[in-house]
Amino acid sequence: MKDESHRLGLGSFKALGGGYAVVRLLLEEAERSIGRRINVGELHEPDVRAVAAGMTIGCATDGNHGRSVAEGARLVGAKARIFVHDDVSARRIAAIAQFGAEVIRVKGTYDDAVAEATRMCAANKWLLVSDTSWPGYERIARLVMQGYTVLAHEALEAMVDPPTHVFIQAGVGGLAAAVAGYMAILLGANRPAFVVVEPSRAACLLESIRAGQPVKIDRGEATVMAMLECYAPSLVAWRVLSRAADAFMTIDDEDAVMVMNLLARPTGGDPAIVAGESGGVGLAGMLRVAADVNQRAALRLDADSRVFVVNTEGATDPGCYEELVGLTPNVVLSNKPANCKASSR
Ligand SMILES: Cc1ncc(COP(=O)(O)O)c(C=O)c1O
């Protein structure tokens, strides 16, 4: 298990994507306006800072992505406008605002926040840095996904032999596609089997695979896996996963909570891992398959398998973690609503 709960002090792997895209986009803009090649070591040069000071970055979020974008903007000296929907708590807003970003509330759902961020960015010539993509908006979401590939790179470096299986959780599919695409390109014929794991209450990729095309699903009951509660796949992620994933499956809220507890109280000398509600979902998927003789055979999962999973977040809602695990998390980051049941992504 690759543990992303400490990533860049932001508590989730999302720290790798939005901030990276902001830096890349600033370098492009600086090259255009200064008229020479600029490398990342020059981010703090006065002429580059001056370009950044004229830039405003926008995005929609309900937590981790907005934080990453806000931190990236602060790092380079740009302004950030982060759009959040109705259900986003004051605590989460504060966690984004601490990076100097202006947080703008939007009536409705995450989708409404995406629509408003898109509209406002177009109207004001702000740069939209989204973690999801749709027809006509792909390039920047791809940069965000490229940022995620760092974790796959680090994981392969740390392994003696590459994995035979990857069980990876998905919201819009950006992370799963980044890992699957990266490993497929690097490992070729030796690539592992990829299993995409979603909450049963928000399985937009599974339904898209069934339909043979990306589909938006109806919003149902909220899932405890708040960061995976997405109702439409990212177009770029869909293109990768519809080719590179071998299986799609769902788990239930109870599985997600069970695995949080399992990771908090390991046996056999394994270190304890603090996993938030969406953190251990890939592992929960693997355990489900391992418990079913037919699924195990279908995926050739056996005693010789080397399985790779990612803990994608720590206790990003400490109150929720305590409620579900009965322990005080040692990684305390508050970027999600206090009510762990009634939340969207
Ligand atoms: C902790 C965590 N895990 C997994 C995901 C899923 O990533 P994606 O939406 O790219 O599939 C997210 C997305 O926000 C997340 O915050």
Side-chain angles (χ1 to χ4, degrees):
M1 169 170 265
K2 177 126 172 66
D3 184 8
E4 287 291 314
S5 64
H6 300 277
R7 178 66 75 177
L8 297 173
L10 296 188
S12 85
F13 82 96
K14 283 263 152 184
L16 291 169
Y20 168 74
V22 169
V23 169
R24 283 283 305 270
L25 293 164
L26 166 62
L27 292 176
E28 285 176 12
E29 185 58 31
E31 288 187 358
R32 259 194 306 271
S33 84
I34 300 169
R36 65 176 172 84
R37 186 133 182 78
I38 313 272
N39 69 54
V40 76
E42 296 173 273
L43 271 185
H44 299 297
E45 294 298 325
D47 51 353
V48 179
R49 297 285 294 185
V51 173
M55 288 172 71
T56 300
I57 318 286
C59 79
T61 188
D62 52 14
N64 294 335
H65 177 64
R67 235 174 140 167
S68 181
V69 168
E71 204 218 11
R74 185 181 67 167
L75 179 79
V76 300
K79 292 183 266 308
R81 303 271 191 276
I82 312 294
F83 292 76
V84 298
H85 59 91
D86 273 344
D87 290 343
V88 178
S89 70
R91 273 164 80 191
R92 182 187 287 174
I93 288 174
I96 295 168
Q98 71 173 338
F99 296 107
E102 185 184 326
V103 181
I104 298 157
R105 277 193 173 275
V106 177
K107 278 223 159 313
T109 64
Y110 175 74
D111 292 335
D112 297 314
V114 172
E116 182 62 3
T118 308
R119 192 185 70 75
M120 288 290 281
C121 285
N124 294 291
K125 296 197 171 21
W126 301 337
L127 203 51
L128 179 68
V129 177
S130 173
D131 61 350
T132 190
S133 58
W134 52 87
Y137 183 89
E138 296 190 25
R139 189 180 84 91
I140 293 176
R142 264 203 308 265
L143 290 179
V144 174
M145 289 167 63
Q146 276 173 17
Y148 303 158
T149 63
V150 166
L151 77 84
H153 171 82
E154 289 174 351
L156 288 179
E157 292 268 290
M159 287 184 234
V160 179
D161 294 307
T164 55
H165 296 74
V166 177
F167 284 79
I168 192 128
Q169 55 269 55
V172 298
L175 169 68
V179 173
Y182 183 84
M183 289 194 179
I185 289 167
L186 213 73
L187 300 171
N190 291 329
R191 76 176 188 86
F194 286 100
V195 184
V196 176
V197 188
E198 293 177 285
S200 48
R201 292 177 183 169
C204 62
L205 284 154
L206 178 70
E207 290 308 326
S208 297
I209 276 292
R210 284 198 171 122
Q213 60 182 347
V215 293
K216 189 168 167 41
I217 58 170
D218 291 336
R219 188 179 187 188
E221 209 185 324
T223 165
V224 75
M225 293 164 262
M227 298 297 153
L228 309 182
E229 195 172 316
C230 303
Y231 300 106
S234 164
L235 180 61
V236 175
W238 160 257
R239 277 203 209 105
V240 175
L241 292 173
S242 56
R243 293 171 173 87
D246 298 281
F248 294 78
M249 67 178 293
T250 62
I251 63 154
D252 298 326
D253 281 19
E254 301 76 56
D255 299 305
V257 175
M258 176 275 294
V259 91
M260 291 169 76
N261 280 278
L262 199 63
L263 289 165
R265 300 179 185 85
T267 54
D270 284 347
I273 292 178
V274 176
E277 307 85 81
S278 301
V281 170
L283 176 59
M286 193 276 278
L287 293 174
R288 264 218 169 176
V289 170
D292 182 311
V293 70
N294 294 326
Q295 290 184 17
R296 225 167 43 211
L299 286 173
R300 300 204 180 123
L301 186 69
D302 59 29
D304 293 324
S305 300
R306 297 181 300 275
V307 180
F308 175 60
V309 292
V310 183
N311 175 31
T312 53
E313 68 174 350
T316 49
D317 182 341
C320 188
Y321 185 85
E322 272 191 63
E323 189 186 311
L324 297 173
V325 179
L327 295 172
T328 309
N330 53 12
V331 181
V332 175
L333 286 159
S334 56
N335 64 353
K336 291 197 301 174
N339 178 358
C340 48
K341 296 261 154 49
S343 158
S344 63
R345 184 162 174 264

